Amino acid sequence: MFNEKTIEEVKSANRKASSDATSTAFYNNPRIRGLFYQVALVAGLLYFFVTVIGNTLDNMEATGIKTGFAFLDAAAGYDVLMSLISFESTDTYARIFVVGFLNTILVSVIGIFFATLFGFIFGVAYFSHNWLIRKLAVVYVEIFRNIPLLLQVFFWYFAVLSSLPSARQSLSLGEAVFLNVRGLYFPKLVGGDLAWVVWTVLALAIGGVFYLRRWAKKRQEITGEQFPVLKASLALIIFAPLMAAALTGFPFTVDYPALKGFNYFGGVTVIPELMALSIALSVYTGAFIAEAVRAGIQSIPRGQTEAARSLGLRENKIMSLIIVPQAMRVIVPLLNSEYQSLVKNSTLAAAIGYPDLFNVFVGTALNQTGQAIETIFMTIIVYFIVNMVISFLMNRFNSAVSLVSR
Amino acid sequence: MTAISSNSNTEDVIVIENLNKWYGNFHVLRDINLRVKKGERIVICGPSGSGKSTMIRCINRLEEFQEGSLVVDGVEMIEDVKNIETIRKDVGMVFQHFNLFPHLTILENLTLGPIWVQKKPKAEAEEIAMKYLERVKIPDQANKYPGQLSGGQQQRVAIARSLCMNPNIMLFDEPTSALDPEMIKEVLDVMIELAQEGMTMLCVTHEMGFAKKVADRVIFMDGGEIVEENEPEAFFSNPQVDRTQQFLEQILNH
Amino acid sequence: MKEFQPSSPRSAPVKSVGLIAWLRDNLFSSIPNAVVTIAFISFLAYYIPLLIDWAFLSANFKGETEAACVNDGACWVFVNAWSYQFFYGTYPPEEVWRINLTIVLLILVIIGSFTLPKSIRLKTSIAAWLLLPVVGIALLDGRLLGLEMVSTDLWGGFSLNVFMATASIVVAFPFSFLWALGRRSDMPFIRSVSVTFIEFFRGVPVLSLFFMGSVMLPLFFAEGTNVDKLIRVWLVLIFFMSGYMAEVFRGGVQAVPKGQYEAADSIGLGYWQKIMLIILPQVIKISMPNILATFVMLFKNTTFLLIIGIPEVVQTLQTALSNSYWLGGHALEGYLFVFLVFWGSCFGMSLLASRIERTMNTDKRD
């Protein structure tokens, strides 16, 4: 048994030991150890960067590569296959950067739209009543997510699109849409003098839909009556501009693509590079999104549906009030990362020559100027920013669909 | 059809005749016959796998059956969406695992049915919801989410959610089996109160105290059939079938 | 007292079980469903025979040159004639045993890490895995072992995809574990360095990393050092992989119950003892499905090497397709073949991953 004195002795001995620790066994103090590790890491990193930068400068001097961003104002001297803004080979590298950026955004937006569409269709198809459709969803997902994206891009570009008929034997849909080895052509609406009326009506109709939703919700809160918002909104968006067009005497001309010489001119042209890349990106990412959608729906316990049924809710209301809001909490974070990888994967444009940012800048501009560091980092930063924007938007969307913290 | 003729007896709110159900080739419910009068309180017990849950889940068509007929409040259960909806609006159900909607507040859980099924104005639905929340003694939790409540509280919310639809019949599928012992009483108290108000109730439960106190009839099921049914007094003191006695010995000795 | 006589079960009504019921429930449950089923089946009935005819019945299997393809169907002669290049690239045929031996070693190590007796499994297999890239490179290059040197320009084909992916993940393994620990560290500087590293390599397109490896890295080395292109790309792949794997491990480290750390502390283990003896083995087990998934991603991404001119399998295929003796349009056959090779390996690994996950879930329940 201890008495008071012995405990006091032990305590004082401990105190002594701990004060000694700072002088004799300082390396056993966790805080000092931590500091040491961190200092060592800093020193290592510093040494690494100093050596790398020194070597780089030496090497660049030896090979005569310029540094800095002066090259951006120089004329690029090469043309691009496709541009959303006007571009000529006398334009600067800065402009070609913008051209590439816009092309990247274009293919990403198309890819994200169709990937989401495919993903949700096949993700929901997992739960179809029809056995064949269920199996179709499985087959789609397992085939397309297990084949490298690059192979799929090549497959569409070299095996499918390049075996399409030549311009003279184009496949056509109602003599308005044409598909041949040079691309996809469809008619364009060219607005006349009064076209602004129709566009304004369309904008008003879209605004009207939001108003309609608010009104329908208000009305239901007060009277309890429900209003078919979806059908009414569709009708509004379709018929209001049509009415406006009819009243103003259809102020549009349609610019049909027409065969002149060896190719089609007029209308809108989608080059095969864009088509192949968009198809491959949407089909590939769609398979991953389908998995995400399936996981989201499966994460909801059966009891939720049963409880909703026992309240007498209809199947479509169970879907929109119970299943979707809960599934979205699982799906949206996964969508976020899939969208980001789609944007990163769009750099595969380089493989088939679609002029996206990566291709025109890290590909061609780097090759011509030799300024690897500047071009690569300018490009990388753009991808970082685009992905941060996606992340920001998806997080906003996520907090909108899942207000619940639990 | 016999099912229709039995409708003439308005006393019977549930009429089950020769009900048979199979899962694949497994015969889960065998020739079930049961009549429930308005205001009757029935407790169903039996070992697990005896088909008791399946039977009451047939009553609001959470389960399909292959043979026999089922009439609820004069509406025969047939393969017809409208019929099923009518019956579901009339029958409330409380589950073992509560099944509250985790993304909605307690109040929203309660008003969901009145607003979207009964098409009531929001204010009225909320008024009803608060009335029932007060009856289950948790009006102060109205704006919380289910995950923030204890099991017993969640189950009381689930009962209130069913009551908001103003059902004529309430089904309870082992409402206390997933609860900690100290929470069972608060849920049973709500159920007892409900029974005293004359609600027609079918409860699958092993709470024999509850059965003795409120049940008009106790039904014992095993192997997918009704083995014995009797008034609680007689059922517990003088079981007629050996299987019943064996079962009662097992659960009462614990 | 009455004795309870269970009634004997009757078999279900014919229309609710068996083939007919299955057909009714799964294919013809409603009119729209029946329409879909019939349309779908007629579609298959029309196209599957055409496909079989093209791929097998009227296909050409025998021969050496394009001229042998006389039938209307697929020209598998093309695939056959180029199969050596598809698998081994331009590696000299008399030395090809070295590739085969490396693959055999790889397979042995894989089998070993699942079948060795539990007492020595972890240590032996970790050592074997870490040795594998060294032995593999020594064999393939040859100089270290006194064999004839085969320069990396000649390496190629599908075996190169396999080697690049495996060598990268193996070397990335220890690094990524360190990054994951760093990200969870209490030391602010170590944590921020780890986070920056991980997020950088996860955030940039893998293609830009390859360009860095091929164009930028040479600038970083001291003047006069000439590092082989394949090794530079390998370095980049290791960094890329350790970024992704660090996140996998972070998930794994988080999944180890807190009690394990406390138990390790309570028996007086030091930090590294705790990590190596208690945490790491559990993390590897928990993360196995995700490691496999990450590996599948890496493996698919090795095809991107084509863009910086490394003759992996797709590049070899492109070369074969543009070969002047084979201009008859064999793209379909070629792509289908490479599809099958990749699909088989990736799907196999996905299946394995989901099987491991399933057994793990059942373990947890026990």
Side-chain angles (χ1 to χ4, degrees):
Chain A
M1 206 178 170
F2 291 114
N3 58 34
E4 281 295 313
K5 207 179 168 198
T6 20
I7 290 174
E8 266 313 303
E9 275 169 9
V10 171
K11 276 185 184 166
S12 73
N14 272 344
R15 258 199 301 277
K16 195 159 173 291
S18 60
S19 62
D20 281 352
T22 49
S23 54
T24 59
F26 70 92
Y27 48 83
N28 278 333
N29 181 327
R31 283 185 54 197
I32 290 180
R33 271 195 182 197
L35 203 64
F36 171 75
Y37 284 135
Q38 300 203 63
V39 169
L41 182 69
V42 174
L45 278 177
L46 270 180
Y47 173 76
F48 174 77
F49 280 117
V50 167
T51 329
V52 160
I53 291 169
N55 285 343
T56 310
L57 291 177
D58 288 349
N59 283 325
M60 292 210 292
E61 214 177 274
T63 45
I65 300 174
K66 286 187 211 125
T67 51
F69 293 93
F71 76 97
L72 285 176
D73 293 327
Y78 60 97
D79 213 343
V80 290
L81 195 56
M82 179 194 133
S83 172
L84 294 176
I85 53 174
S86 72
F87 183 81
E88 283 163 33
S89 55
T90 48
D91 281 326
T92 59
Y93 282 111
R95 192 165 177 89
I96 215 168
F97 188 78
V98 178
V99 168
F101 173 70
L102 291 176
N103 284 342
T104 291
I105 297 296
L106 176 71
V107 74
S108 305
V109 168
I110 296 176
I112 286 177
F113 176 80
F114 284 105
T116 313
L117 190 70
F118 294 163
F120 273 82
I121 290 175
F122 284 101
V124 172
Y126 264 110
F127 303 93
S128 163
H129 290 293
N130 193 310
W131 182 84
L132 285 168
I133 294 182
R134 288 201 298 270
K135 290 298 148 194
L136 179 71
V138 174
V139 168
Y140 166 73
V141 168
E142 293 303 346
I143 285 187
F144 286 101
R145 70 173 184 172
N146 282 316
I147 293 176
L149 177 59
L150 179 73
L151 263 172
Q152 298 192 34
V153 173
F154 277 180
F155 175 77
W156 294 110
Y157 188 64
F158 290 116
V160 178
L161 294 183
S162 68
S163 61
L164 286 172
S166 69
R168 286 176 180 280
Q169 275 100 41
S170 294
L171 305 170
S172 75
L173 192 74
E175 291 302 313
V177 180
F178 300 93
L179 180 66
N180 63 44
V181 71
R182 300 274 189 86
L184 175 70
Y185 303 83
F186 51 86
K188 186 163 74 175
L189 271 188
V190 182
D193 287 342
L194 285 171
W196 63 271
V197 178
V198 181
W199 296 129
T200 317
V201 170
L202 180 65
L204 284 176
I206 292 171
V209 167
F210 285 96
Y211 178 77
L212 188 71
R213 277 185 51 176
R214 287 239 320 257
W215 171 81
K217 203 175 160 204
K218 232 345 169 294
R219 193 179 78 136
Q220 189 183 358
E221 276 181 16
I222 295 167
T223 67
E225 281 169 73
Q226 292 165 29
F227 187 79
V229 180
L230 188 70
K231 282 179 201 158
S233 311
L234 278 177
L236 186 64
I237 287 184
I238 293 168
F239 289 115
L242 275 184
M243 288 267 291
L247 286 177
T248 51
F250 203 74
F252 292 101
T253 46
V254 184
D255 180 13
Y256 288 102
L259 188 64
K260 285 181 193 134
F262 291 106
N263 209 352
Y264 281 89
F265 292 93
V268 180
T269 309
V270 183
I271 55 174
E273 287 78 14
L274 176 58
M275 261 198 287
L277 190 63
S278 316
I279 297 173
L281 281 173
S282 340
V283 170
Y284 181 76
T285 316
F288 286 90
I289 294 179
E291 263 304 286
V293 170
R294 182 180 71 111
I297 296 179
Q298 266 178 350
S299 72
I300 302 164
R302 246 188 99 72
Q304 292 288 309
T305 319
E306 290 181 348
R309 280 191 187 145
S310 72
L311 285 177
L313 283 171
R314 295 237 178 108
E315 295 298 317
N316 61 347
K317 284 278 171 265
I318 297 179
M319 204 64 188
S320 65
L321 296 172
I322 307 297
I323 310 283
V324 172
Q326 292 187 59
M328 277 316 219
R329 286 197 268 172
V330 176
I331 297 172
V332 172
L334 295 170
L335 272 187
N336 184 3
S337 68
E338 290 311 331
Y339 288 168
Q340 293 190 31
S341 30
L342 185 140
V343 173
K344 286 188 275 172
N345 283 333
S346 73
T347 53
L348 278 187
I352 53 170
Y354 171 74
D356 80 325
L357 176 63
F358 196 82
N359 192 9
V360 298
F361 222 62
V362 177
T364 323
L366 188 157
N367 222 342
Q368 291 195 352
T369 62
Q371 292 188 272
I373 297 176
E374 290 87 343
T375 50
I376 290 181
F377 272 101
M378 275 178 76
T379 311
I380 286 180
I381 285 168
V382 169
Y383 284 96
F384 265 121
I385 293 173
V386 170
N387 279 344
M388 268 158 64
V389 170
I390 290 177
S391 197
F392 173 76
L393 292 177
M394 296 304 281
N395 286 337
R396 282 284 297 273
F397 182 60
N398 197 18
S399 48
V401 292
S402 59
L403 290 165
V404 197
S405 54
R406 249 183 100 80
Chain B
M1 287 294 293
T2 46
I4 303 299
S5 63
S6 64
N7 274 351
S8 53
N9 186 353
T10 46
E11 282 271 277
D12 291 332
V13 286
I14 299 176
V15 181
I16 302 177
E17 284 181 346
N18 295 324
L19 187 84
N20 277 284
K21 176 173 170 59
W22 287 263
Y23 283 125
N25 259 323
F26 180 59
H27 199 172
V28 265
L29 293 179
R30 302 176 189 178
D31 289 324
I32 302 286
N33 286 290
L34 181 68
R35 281 168 182 266
V36 181
K37 289 197 182 64
K38 190 165 173 50
E40 233 186 334
R41 277 91 47 164
I42 293 179
V43 164
I44 303 157
C45 60
S48 64
S50 58
K52 51 196 190 313
S53 286
T54 313
M55 183 180 84
I56 70 162
R57 286 158 61 90
C58 282
I59 296 173
N60 67 349
R61 204 30 161 42
L62 289 180
E63 302 279 355
E64 291 175 22
F65 52 88
Q66 282 85 17
E67 278 180 20
S69 73
L70 174 61
V71 179
V72 180
D73 247 353
V75 183
E76 182 165 13
M77 177 84 71
I78 50 172
E79 289 248 1
D80 181 288
V81 181
K82 283 273 171 228
N83 257 11
I84 295 171
E85 258 172 39
T86 321
I87 290 174
R88 281 180 181 165
K89 281 180 206 169
D90 205 40
V91 179
M93 179 147 193
V94 175
F95 299 87
Q96 182 178 2
H97 295 287
F98 333 135
N99 295 349
L100 295 180
F101 305 126
H103 61 301
L104 302 177
T105 62
I106 300 304
L107 192 62
E108 287 166 343
N109 263 283
L110 265 65
T111 55
L112 189 80
I115 288 179
W116 291 99
V117 180
Q118 296 177 332
K119 305 194 179 10
K120 288 201 166 110
K122 194 177 172 191
E124 193 189 330
E126 284 180 353
E127 203 178 300
I128 298 170
M130 286 314 291
K131 188 180 92 188
Y132 283 109
L133 276 183
E134 263 158 42
R135 269 191 55 181
V136 300
K137 299 178 187 71
I138 32 177
D140 47 328
Q141 312 283 358
N143 292 314
K144 288 192 179 164
Y145 286 96
Q148 297 167 307
L149 269 56
S150 74
Q153 289 174 323
Q154 288 195 44
Q155 193 62 296
R156 285 186 279 155
V157 172
I159 296 173
R161 179 174 70 179
S162 293
L163 292 177
C164 282
M165 296 295 292
N166 199 20
N168 286 326
I169 300 162
M170 284 287 283
L171 308 174
F172 292 84
D173 186 1
E174 308 205 27
T176 54
S177 326
L179 294 177
D180 290 338
E182 72 267 30
M183 292 172 183
I184 292 176
K185 188 177 175 292
E186 62 187 57
V187 172
L188 287 181
D189 285 347
V190 171
M191 289 169 64
I192 290 168
E193 207 178 298
L194 199 59
Q196 285 161 352
E197 286 164 17
M199 174 67 77
T200 314
M201 291 164 72
L202 275 85
C203 308
V204 172
T205 182
H206 291 152
E207 295 298 331
M208 289 307 144
F210 172 78
K212 279 179 194 161
K213 200 163 182 178
V214 303
D216 296 314
R217 250 191 299 164
V218 180
I219 290 176
F220 173 69
M221 285 183 73
D222 190 23
E225 50 192 322
I226 295 178
V227 176
E228 182 167 355
E229 54 175 297
N230 212 333
E231 288 170 3
E233 192 79 6
F235 180 86
F236 289 111
S237 57
N238 187 19
Q240 301 293 308
V241 186
D242 60 341
R243 183 72 187 88
T244 315
Q245 191 181 30
Q246 198 187 341
F247 177 76
L248 286 176
E249 272 168 10
Q250 273 170 350
I251 61 165
L252 294 178
N253 286 345
H254 279 290
Chain C
M1 183 165 293
K2 267 191 285 184
E3 202 175 311
F4 174 53
Q5 289 287 348
S7 67
S8 52
R10 277 188 286 133
S11 57
V14 184
K15 59 176 190 184
S16 72
V17 284
L19 185 66
I20 295 168
W22 186 88
L23 286 176
R24 204 196 48 198
D25 289 350
N26 288 296
L27 297 177
F28 301 98
S29 59
S30 63
I31 292 168
N33 245 338
V35 172
V36 167
T37 302
I38 290 167
F40 205 106
I41 289 179
S42 23
F43 177 84
L44 290 182
Y46 182 75
Y47 280 102
I48 285 186
L50 287 183
L51 184 71
I52 291 177
D53 183 60
W54 177 81
F56 302 106
L57 300 182
S58 3
N60 305 277
F61 293 97
K62 285 200 189 103
E64 298 284 313
T65 61
E66 192 169 38
C69 288
V70 284
N71 294 335
D72 290 341
C75 180
W76 298 119
V77 179
F78 168 75
V79 172
N80 204 11
W82 286 88
S83 55
Y84 180 86
Q85 280 88 338
F86 288 161
F87 279 104
Y88 304 114
T90 40
Y91 209 83
E94 63 277 10
E95 302 290 339
V96 83
W97 61 270
R98 281 145 66 170
I99 295 188
N100 291 335
L101 179 61
T102 316
I103 290 175
V104 169
L105 286 178
L106 172 64
I107 293 170
L108 283 180
V109 173
I110 293 175
I111 294 175
S113 19
F114 285 99
T115 55
L116 280 175
K118 266 206 166 134
S119 51
I120 55 165
R121 189 188 296 171
L122 196 67
K123 276 180 196 162
T124 327
S125 51
I126 286 182
W129 276 111
L130 291 178
L131 264 173
L132 192 66
V134 183
V135 174
I137 290 173
L139 258 175
L140 293 176
D141 178 82
R143 275 174 297 182
L144 263 179
L145 301 174
L147 296 164
E148 193 184 334
M149 177 195 168
V150 179
S151 102
T152 55
D153 309 343
L154 301 177
W155 303 10
F158 187 67
S159 56
L160 185 64
N161 293 68
V162 176
F163 293 150
M164 288 304 275
T166 316
S168 311
I169 198 173
V170 167
V171 180
F173 214 90
F175 287 113
S176 46
F177 194 69
L178 287 180
W179 289 121
L181 289 179
R183 193 169 187 164
R184 285 175 58 88
S185 163
D186 301 328
M187 299 174 233
F189 191 75
I190 288 188
R191 193 170 56 233
S192 40
V193 168
S194 307
V195 171
T196 315
F197 176 91
I198 294 171
E199 291 307 325
F200 177 81
F201 283 98
R202 282 167 55 87
V204 298
V206 62
L207 217 54
S208 61
L209 292 176
F210 287 163
F211 268 83
M212 285 183 196
S214 73
V215 201
M216 230 163 82
L217 269 192
L219 296 174
F220 291 172
F221 298 117
E223 243 185 303
T225 7
N226 193 5
V227 181
D228 190 276
K229 187 176 180 184
L230 215 52
I231 295 195
R232 296 198 309 259
V233 173
W234 183 31
L235 262 173
V236 168
L237 269 179
I238 291 170
F239 281 129
F240 168 73
M241 210 46 206
S242 40
Y244 275 88
M245 292 271 292
E247 284 301 279
V248 170
F249 282 138
R250 185 165 71 123
V253 170
Q254 271 165 355
V256 174
K258 207 167 162 240
Q260 293 292 316
Y261 292 88
E262 289 166 356
D265 284 338
S266 75
I267 55 174
L269 294 179
Y271 180 79
W272 287 109
Q273 284 174 316
K274 178 172 75 184
I275 295 295
M276 298 309 286
L277 297 174
I278 310 294
I279 308 304
L280 180 65
Q282 298 190 52
V283 169
I284 291 182
K285 202 176 163 211
I286 297 172
S287 318
M288 209 56 208
N290 287 332
I291 293 174
L292 273 170
T294 316
F295 181 74
V296 168
M297 178 199 69
L298 170 75
F299 186 50
K300 286 186 293 180
N301 280 349
T302 54
T303 54
F304 292 14
L305 289 170
L306 155 149
I307 288 166
I308 50 166
I310 286 174
E312 49 71 64
V313 61
V314 186
Q315 173 71 57
T316 317
L317 174 64
Q318 295 298 102
T319 316
L321 287 175
S322 56
N323 185 289
S324 56
Y325 294 106
W326 293 93
L327 288 175
H330 307 296
L332 208 53
E333 290 91 333
Y335 287 118
L336 278 183
F337 174 71
V338 183
F339 271 5
L340 259 163
V341 172
F342 268 104
W343 183 82
S345 359
C346 296
F347 184 63
M349 284 185 273
S350 310
L351 276 188
L352 183 65
S354 51
R355 236 181 79 178
I356 294 176
E357 199 161 19
R358 262 205 310 277
T359 40
M360 253 164 32
N361 286 342
T362 49
D363 280 357
K364 227 177 276 166
R365 237 170 267 140
D366 289 341

